[in-house]
Amino acid sequence: MNRTNFIASISISIFSLFSCTSNEIGNSKDVNPEAVFFDYEVWAEEDKEDVTVNLQYRMGGKNGTTLVLDEPSKVILDGEQLKVDSAKVTGAYYEVQRPLASFTGKHTINFTDVKIKNITRSLHSRLFFLSPMFLQH
C-alpha cells in the first residue's frame, strides 16, 4: 500500500469512528428527563491495574447531544458522586477509574434527574483472563 492510500485509509477510519456520535454538549435542565438516554461503558486494558467506568447522558438517543447534569441532577457510582468532564471528540462524560482487583461484584449507578427522580442501575462485574493459547496467532 502506498503512502497516499495509507493516509486516506487512516483518515476515513478516524472520520468514521468519530462521526457516529455527537460531541455537542447540552444541559440536563433544558431536556425532558424522560428523554435522557443512558450510555454506560466499563473497560480494562491488558497490563493495566485499573478499570474505567464511563457514563454519558444524551438527549436524542445513543448518538445525541451529551448532557452536563445540572443540579439537582447527579450521578453516583457506589456512593461516590462523579464530576463532569468533557473532550472535543466525545462531549460531556462522567468517568472514574477503580482498581481492577477490587472491582468484582455488584455495582450501583444512581442517577437523579432535574425533577429529583432517582433511577438506579446495577452492573455486575467479574474478572476473567484469556488463556495465552487463545492469544497466540
Side-chain angles (χ1 to χ4, degrees), residues 30-56:
D30 301 326
V31 177
N32 175 356
E34 301 295 322
V36 173
F37 178 84
F38 298 49
D39 186 10
Y40 301 154
E41 295 180 316
V42 179
W43 72 89
E45 297 178 37
E46 183 178 6
D47 297 328
K48 303 283 181 172
E49 296 191 18
D50 290 326
V51 62
T52 301
V53 179
N54 182 284
L55 313 174
Q56 281 190 306

Side-chain angles (χ1 to χ4, degrees), residues 56-77:
Q56 281 190 306
Y57 299 92
R58 295 180 176 273
M59 167 183 62
K62 69 178 185 173
N63 296 323
T65 301
T66 61
L67 296 173
V68 171
L69 301 179
D70 299 302
E71 287 194 18
S73 295
K74 61 186 171 187
V75 61
I76 297 173
L77 173 66

Side-chain angles (χ1 to χ4, degrees), residues 74-125:
K74 61 186 171 187
V75 61
I76 297 173
L77 173 66
D78 296 336
E80 177 187 347
Q81 185 170 339
L82 305 183
K83 295 183 185 326
V84 68
D85 202 349
S86 66
K88 287 183 180 182
V89 174
T90 60
Y93 61 91
Y94 295 79
E95 187 173 279
V96 65
Q97 291 187 334
R98 299 272 175 86
L100 180 61
S102 65
F103 198 72
T104 58
K106 181 179 177 182
H107 301 278
T108 305
I109 301 167
N110 292 307
F111 169 77
T112 303
D113 68 21
V114 292
K115 294 183 179 179
I116 312 179
K117 177 181 175 186
N118 291 306
I119 299 171
T120 301
R121 300 277 193 255
S122 295
L123 63 98
H124 300 269
S125 104

